[in-house]
Amino acid sequence: MSLTENLNTTMKEAMKAKDSLRLSAIRLVRSAIKNREIEERRELDDQGVIGVLSSLAKQRRDSAEAYRQSGREDLAEKEEKELAIIQEFLPRQLSEEELRALIDQAVSESGAAGPRDMGKVMKLVTAQTTGRADGRLVSELVKARLGA
């Protein structure tokens, strides 16, 4: 079953269960996917859907953080609940140890020697971690590994 089909099935289940938060989050995801399909003038495959889901997850994390800093705990909690629903459709997230192993492999493959080579390493690591790790965490780990 493709991710799009899975989203449609889950949306129907949320309608039947009258789960408004889940339903609105899935509708938001489907709308974002449709917008991306219109932009690219083609139907998205699972990898494209994962890209959209990753973007939405990042937006939810950033929004929750911003709401917390503004003292709006109620809105931060709503964003985190939506994030949890979005993450159900993403592949399993990589652990920090798995990320470090991928980064080490990318450093040896690219021959990176210092902070100036961060772009080379990020290109290799990002290709393997899209939708499976937070980009900010990957960037921080690569910086630490290269001694930036």
Side-chain angles (χ1 to χ4, degrees), residues 16-70:
K16 289 177 185 174
K18 297 187 184 345
D19 186 347
S20 61
L21 177 67
R22 188 172 186 78
L23 181 60
S24 69
I26 293 171
R27 282 184 172 156
L28 176 91
V29 169
R30 290 185 64 223
S31 173
I33 291 169
K34 191 56 141 172
N35 289 339
R36 180 74 56 87
E37 287 176 343
I38 291 169
E39 284 173 20
E40 296 184 9
R41 295 186 174 113
R42 67 177 180 85
E43 196 170 310
L44 294 179
D45 58 358
D46 278 354
Q47 211 49 34
V49 172
I50 287 173
V52 171
L53 288 168
S54 297
S55 297
L56 291 173
K58 181 183 182 316
Q59 289 171 359
R60 295 296 161 278
R61 270 189 224 100
D62 293 346
S63 295
E65 187 177 314
Y67 285 136
R68 280 227 161 70
Q69 290 172 354
S70 301

Side-chain angles (χ1 to χ4, degrees), residues 82-132:
E82 286 182 2
L83 173 62
I85 293 167
I86 292 169
Q87 286 179 328
E88 290 175 21
F89 299 99
L90 284 169
R92 181 187 68 81
Q93 298 294 294
L94 296 172
S95 68
E96 201 167 310
E97 294 80 35
E98 291 170 316
L99 284 174
R100 289 182 196 279
L102 284 173
I103 291 168
D104 289 340
Q105 180 184 354
V107 167
S108 62
E109 279 180 30
S110 67
R116 291 181 304 166
D117 298 322
M118 185 169 170
K120 293 179 191 175
V121 176
M122 284 300 292
K123 183 177 179 182
L124 293 171
V125 174
T126 303
Q128 298 175 355
T129 61
T130 301
R132 298 174 57 204

